[in-house]
Amino acid sequence: PGGCGDAYLSWDQVRMLDRSGLITIGGHTINHRNLNSLSADDQRYEIETGKKLLEQQLGHTVRHFAYPYGQYNDTTIQIVQEAGYLTAVTTIPGMYQGAGQAFTLRRERNAMTLP
C-alpha cells in the first residue's frame, strides 16, 4: 500500500546483485512514499521497516539510503541517521560533495559526464 506498484527486481535478483560486489544496495523505504509529506512516526516506519526488511533479505547491514522522489526535511535526515545509515542521496544534481553533506549527497545522473 502506498508504494509505486512496480516490481523492478525479485529478491533473488537483489541478492545476486549484492553478492556481485559491483554495486551497493541501499535503502529506499518500505512503500516509496514522499517522506517530506509524512508525520515523523510515518517517516520512521517507512525508513526503519524498509531497512530491516532489506537487511533480512541481504543478510548484512545496509548503510546507504536514497530519499524517494528526492524529498526530505530535517526530521527525515534525523530519522535516517538514527536508523543507522551512514549516507543518504538526494536528487539534487551535481558532483560536488561538501564536508558535512553525508545525508544530502548530490547525484550525477548522466553517466557520460562521470569521471
Side-chain angles (χ1 to χ4, degrees):
C4 62
D6 296 326
Y8 292 106
L9 296 170
S10 70
W11 282 117
D12 286 339
Q13 291 170 318
V14 172
R15 285 187 289 272
M16 180 182 69
L17 288 168
D18 184 62
R19 286 191 305 267
S20 76
L22 298 173
I23 63 168
T24 298
I25 302 291
H28 196 56
T29 72
I30 194 76
N31 291 309
H32 200 263
R33 295 176 68 193
N34 180 343
L35 295 171
N36 199 28
S37 68
L38 301 178
S39 69
D41 287 341
D42 287 344
Q43 287 189 54
R44 189 172 310 284
Y45 170 79
E46 289 291 325
I47 293 164
E48 291 179 356
T49 305
K51 187 175 194 296
K52 287 176 188 172
L53 177 61
L54 194 52
E55 289 176 344
Q56 288 171 352
Q57 290 292 329
L58 297 179
H60 63 78
T61 303
V62 175
R63 304 200 182 279
H64 311 285
F65 185 81
Y67 301 108
Y69 310 105
Q71 300 297 307
Y72 62 94
N73 55 36
D74 290 341
T75 300
T76 314
I77 293 171
Q78 179 181 344
I79 294 168
V80 167
Q81 289 174 315
E82 290 170 357
Y85 286 106
L86 301 178
T87 66
V89 179
T90 69
T91 56
I92 300 168
M95 292 177 22
Y96 173 75
Q97 310 297 338
Q101 290 182 299
F103 293 92
T104 56
L105 294 173
R106 296 173 182 266
R107 184 178 295 189
E108 180 60 41
R109 297 183 70 101
N110 183 347
M112 299 303 292
T113 62
L114 291 173

